[in-house]
Amino acid sequence: MDRQEGSTVRQQSGANILVELRAREAFMRRRYDQALAFAREAADLAAAREDNAAWWQMTFLRAESFREQGRYQECRVVAEELREHPLTSASPELTARVLTMLSVVSQISGELPQAIDLAGEALRSNGLGEQPFGLQVEARLALVAALAENDQLDEAWTECLALTGMLDGEADSQIAGKAYWVVGNVAFMRRHAAEGVKYHRLAAEHLSPTNDLALWAWFNRASAAMRLAAGLVDEETYECIQRAELATSIVGGNGEDRLIVEFTKGHWHFLNGDLQTATDILSGVCEQGTNLPSNLTGETTLLLGRALGELGDVDRGVEYLRQSEEYFRQAGALDRAAHAAALISEVQPSH
């Protein structure tokens, strides 16, 4: 290779590295459209110079960006392409990464048996104990989530115990925080509130708002919801709501994120007996929440209907309960729809 050719190769390599850095920076800043564009450009540049490793990493980043945007089918297509790639077949680590991603997408898509199988396969991928610690945790977290979603709570708890055993010793703080969060969720789902609180407190100790403020907001919001579902209407729960509210306002969460925090706050006031405040908050959510998922709108109108009924505004209370029943039917949540209908029949005779 002469001097001019060498200079050209170095320039091409430098350009590729620059685009890769831009892709990763955009992903870290949650600018996923930009991350997708830069990652595709970087993958094309890598393919042109037959750099399979760089192509793989940038293509995986595309799959991650699709996942973070909620574009799960597109994420699955890219992940399946990676699964078939010779580089993946030759590497237990890359195989485990792809299988874990496919498990998460399958679980979100409601394909729970497939999600369980994929996560189990990731864990068995040529002895995952030899793989990087974070990858081991991510694979087991995917398995726990799929088992819990499939109502296999005892099996999920067994995996949780294995997960907590892995966290003894050296562990990345953020990874440990995510793991304790999931373990706490399963404990709450098993109606073991004390254990749920214990593990969510451990999660709060490990998760840092300075490392990922959006994750911190999401954790506090979800933890508050779990605590309320367990009947824990205390100051610690309200502090979770306040932290979620502050973090969401700083990070600039989307409208749905802010409304979910408002709904959770309204729920706390309702359970605490402050019905007027709950009504004011939930009314605001209903007015703004036209684009919320049907099941969440159903929960909001259900609570609002109950609060209005208990305040003596029976007509409006019944109207919101009827809306709740319809939203739940649209979401396919027939048990919740039946619950709303039962509440209507309870409220109306007192009118």
Side-chain angles (χ1 to χ4, degrees):
M1 180 185 296
D2 61 28
R3 185 176 300 176
Q4 184 175 358
E5 288 176 334
S7 176
T8 301
V9 169
R10 286 193 296 274
Q11 288 174 359
Q12 290 173 340
S13 179
N16 196 50
I17 291 172
L18 181 59
V19 178
E20 286 183 19
L21 289 173
R22 286 175 174 170
R24 295 191 184 283
E25 181 181 11
F27 184 85
M28 292 297 294
R29 293 177 177 273
R30 302 179 186 276
R31 296 171 181 170
Y32 299 120
D33 284 335
Q34 290 182 12
L36 281 166
F38 284 131
R40 179 181 286 279
E41 182 183 353
D44 289 344
L45 289 169
R49 69 174 203 275
E50 298 183 352
D51 186 343
N52 285 331
W55 176 89
W56 200 100
Q57 294 296 336
M58 287 297 99
T59 302
F60 190 81
L61 186 63
R62 285 181 58 220
E64 289 181 302
S65 298
F66 281 134
R67 181 195 63 203
E68 294 302 316
Q69 287 184 315
R71 298 163 66 179
Y72 300 118
Q73 186 54 38
E74 290 158 293
C75 173
R76 189 200 301 270
V77 169
V78 176
E80 288 288 1
E81 179 185 0
L82 287 169
R83 188 181 187 182
E84 299 300 320
H85 195 273
L87 200 64
T88 307
S89 304
S91 168
E93 178 179 340
L94 299 185
T95 297
R97 289 177 69 188
V98 170
L99 290 172
T100 299
M101 175 171 285
L102 286 169
S103 175
V104 170
V105 171
S106 296
Q107 183 253 318
I108 292 170
S109 302
E111 301 162 356
L112 301 179
Q114 179 173 302
I116 293 168
D117 290 343
L118 286 164
E121 191 178 346
L123 284 168
R124 294 188 299 271
S125 178
N126 197 25
L128 195 55
E130 300 176 4
Q131 302 301 333
F133 177 80
L135 184 55
Q136 297 178 49
V137 173
E138 291 293 338
R140 200 168 293 277
L141 284 175
L143 180 57
V144 169
L147 288 168
E149 187 74 14
N150 203 39
D151 291 328
Q152 295 177 240
L153 294 179
D154 289 340
E155 293 86 346
W157 188 247
T158 298
E159 296 297 333
C160 284
L161 295 177
L163 188 58
T164 56
M166 293 168 60
L167 299 176
D168 293 336
E170 296 297 324
D172 177 89
S173 185
Q174 287 288 97
I175 292 173
K178 291 179 185 178
Y180 286 130
W181 177 3
V182 170
V183 174
N185 289 348
V186 175
F188 275 119
M189 293 169 73
R190 297 177 77 228
R191 302 187 186 281
H192 295 171
E195 283 185 297
V197 169
K198 168 190 168 183
Y199 284 110
H200 275 196
R201 284 174 178 165
L202 283 170
E205 291 174 8
H206 285 80
L207 294 173
S208 169
T210 57
N211 286 342
D212 192 332
L213 190 58
L215 182 68
W216 178 248
W218 183 16
F219 162 68
N220 279 283
R221 187 181 75 205
S223 184
M226 283 283 185
R227 292 173 66 92
L228 290 176
L232 298 175
V233 193
D234 55 14
E235 285 303 314
E236 188 173 351
T237 301
Y238 196 67
E239 287 171 5
C240 287
I241 297 170
Q242 289 178 311
R243 287 194 292 267
E245 188 174 32
L246 178 60
T248 301
S249 68
I250 294 172
V251 81
N254 59 37
E256 182 175 327
D257 291 336
R258 291 191 293 272
L259 288 174
I260 291 172
V261 175
E262 283 296 294
F263 165 78
T264 307
K265 188 196 296 186
H267 192 185
W268 187 88
H269 282 288
F270 176 83
L271 293 177
N272 208 39
D274 188 354
L275 299 177
Q276 189 57 60
T277 301
T279 297
D280 294 341
I281 293 172
L282 295 169
S283 294
V285 174
C286 287
E287 289 172 4
Q288 301 175 60
T290 54
N291 295 321
L292 286 175
S294 295
N295 64 323
L296 183 55
T297 309
E299 295 294 351
T300 305
T301 48
L302 180 79
L303 275 184
L304 181 54
R306 290 180 62 189
L308 287 167
E310 291 186 32
L311 286 170
D313 194 343
V314 175
D315 290 338
R316 289 181 65 212
V318 167
E319 177 57 32
Y320 277 111
L321 289 172
R322 285 181 177 145
Q323 290 180 27
S324 174
E325 181 183 5
E326 180 59 29
Y327 282 123
F328 283 131
R329 291 193 186 282
Q330 291 174 11
L334 300 184
D335 287 347
R336 296 300 290 161
H339 178 59
L343 289 171
I344 292 170
S345 63
E346 289 178 14
V347 170
Q348 280 182 318
S350 64
H351 183 43

